[in-house]
Amino acid sequence: MLNMHELEQDKLGLGIDAGGTQTRWALAAPGGRIVAEGTAGGLSALQMGSAEGRESVQATFAAIAGAVLAHGRPAAVRAGLTGFGGDGAPLQRCLGELLGLDPQAVVLSNDIEIAYLASFRPGEGYLVYAGTGSIGAFIDEHKGFHRAGGRGVVLDDGGGGFWIAREALRHIWRIEDECPGAWEASPMAHAVFQHVGGSDWSFSRQFIYGRERGEVGKLAIAVAATAERDPAAAAILREAGRELARLAQALVSRFGPRPVALAGRAAELHPLIVETMRAALPPETTLNQTGVRAHYAAARLAAEPQHSTL
C-alpha cells in the first residue's frame, strides 16, 4: 500500500521557465509545495528552426529531465519558453520522451504568460516585465493574451537590460566623439569599459555586436552600480522607468484601470527605475514590484488536479 509521500510523488507537477540566458525548473506537489528546483542553460523556442538549435534545446531538456527524475517522475509539465509562438508539438514530444510522459501531458506557452499567472489571475491586472528585454502583458478573463512592446532588442524593448546597456554605450561614445578622453572623468564609463574589456572602441564594438543579447544585458548591472556617482547613469535608469511606465499605460488605455505588477531582474537594478515608473503613471494606478518566480508558478499549475491551458 502506498504511503502519502509516495502518492504525492505520483502527482508531481514540473514547471519550466526558459529564458535566453538561463532555464529554471521546479517540482511541485499537489497543494503547491515546491519539493525540488534547479537551473540549466538558456534556451529559446526560436532555436527549433535549425538543426544546431534543436540539438541544443534537446541537450538542455535532457539535462533538466535527468535532474528532475532524480527527485521523482512528474505527472504533468507546464513550460514557459521565450520565443514560443504556438507550434509546440516537437517540443512536447521531446520533453515527453525524456520524462516518460504522453506529449499531451506537456503544456507549453510563452514565458511571459507564465510570469503573468505568477502575479495575477486572468483579467486581474497588468504585468510589466523587464529582463534582457521588456514587455507589458495582460491575460483577459477569456484567457486571451495581449501585449504592449516585447518586439525585441533590435526594434525596441525600452527599459530592459539590453536597452540600458545600449544607452550607456551610446552616451559614452557620443561624448568621446565630441571630447576624446572624457570617459576618464565618468564613473559609468570606467565601470562599462571594465566590463567590456577595455576603453578602445574595438572592445565596445565586439561586445555590442558580437555577444548574445543576454550577455549584453548584463552590462546594465555595471551602469546601475554607478548611478549614485554619475548623473548620466542615473538619467538612463530614470528613462528606463519611463519606458516601462509607457508599457503599463498602453495597456491601461486599451483595457481600463487595473493594478500593475513590475517584475524582472532589470527592474530590480536600482530603486530609481521603479520610483520613476511610479511617478510616470496616473496617481490612481496601483504599482507593486514583485520578485516573481515563474518556474514555481508553472510547477503549481502543472500540479493542479485539472492541468489547464491558457
Side-chain angles (χ1 to χ4, degrees), residues 216-243:
V216 174
K218 291 178 182 177
L219 178 59
I221 298 170
V223 177
T226 65
E228 306 302 325
R229 297 176 287 122
D230 195 318
I236 290 170
L237 298 182
R238 290 191 187 95
E239 188 59 30
R242 285 187 282 270
E243 289 285 339

Side-chain angles (χ1 to χ4, degrees), residues 1-297:
M1 185 175 186
L2 294 174
N3 61 36
M4 289 302 294
H5 177 72
E6 290 170 324
L7 286 170
E8 186 180 75
Q9 290 292 93
D10 285 342
K11 300 176 182 178
L12 291 174
L14 171 61
I16 298 174
D17 174 31
T21 57
Q22 186 182 68
T23 300
R24 296 177 294 175
W25 63 266
L27 278 173
R33 184 174 66 88
I34 302 299
V35 299
E37 63 179 306
T39 61
L43 66 86
S44 166
L46 299 175
Q47 291 175 278
M48 297 299 287
S50 70
E52 182 181 359
R54 288 191 292 273
E55 288 179 7
S56 178
V57 169
Q58 183 160 7
T60 301
F61 278 166
I64 293 171
V68 167
L69 292 174
H71 297 278
R73 187 180 307 278
V77 180
R78 186 64 181 266
L81 297 89
T82 187
F84 182 74
D87 181 16
L91 291 163
Q92 287 175 300
R93 286 195 299 271
C94 179
L95 265 176
E97 289 173 4
L98 289 166
L99 293 166
L101 298 176
D102 187 305
Q104 296 303 310
V106 180
V107 177
L108 305 177
S109 62
N110 189 284
D111 58 333
I112 300 303
E113 295 175 2
I114 296 294
Y116 181 95
L117 294 173
S119 301
F120 296 115
R121 294 186 297 273
E124 189 177 28
Y126 305 120
L127 173 71
V128 174
Y129 193 92
T132 300
S134 65
I135 189 172
F138 174 53
I139 297 177
D140 64 30
E141 294 86 344
H142 305 291
K143 299 183 180 180
F145 181 80
H146 309 273
R147 71 163 62 220
R151 314 295 179 186
V153 297
V154 174
L155 186 62
D156 196 349
D157 278 11
F162 188 102
W163 181 93
I164 292 170
R166 186 186 64 208
E167 290 300 298
L169 283 166
R170 174 186 291 162
H171 174 84
I172 290 166
W173 285 109
R174 285 190 171 189
I175 297 297
E176 285 300 296
D177 287 340
E178 300 164 4
C179 184
W183 73 268
E184 295 187 22
S186 165
M188 179 177 74
H190 276 276
V192 165
F193 287 157
Q194 182 177 4
H195 188 93
V196 304
S199 61
D200 187 82
W201 162 239
S202 63
F203 291 101
S204 293
R205 179 182 61 205
Q206 174 60 30
F207 183 81
I208 194 73
Y209 295 115
R211 301 287 186 89
E212 293 293 328
R213 64 188 189 97
E215 293 182 73
V216 174
K218 291 178 182 177
L219 178 59
I221 298 170
V223 177
T226 65
E228 306 302 325
R229 297 176 287 122
D230 195 318
I236 290 170
L237 298 182
R238 290 191 187 95
E239 188 59 30
R242 285 187 282 270
E243 289 285 339
L244 299 177
R246 186 193 71 82
L247 297 174
Q249 189 56 44
L251 293 170
V252 170
S253 298
R254 287 157 59 189
F255 302 106
R258 284 179 173 83
V260 177
L262 174 64
R265 292 183 181 179
E268 299 171 354
L269 287 172
H270 196 281
L272 278 174
I273 296 175
V274 67
E275 289 170 6
T276 306
M277 181 181 178
R278 181 172 283 112
L281 291 171
E284 65 274 14
T285 303
T286 300
L287 173 65
N288 291 307
Q289 189 170 11
T290 174
V292 61
R293 295 186 176 185
H295 57 312
Y296 283 13

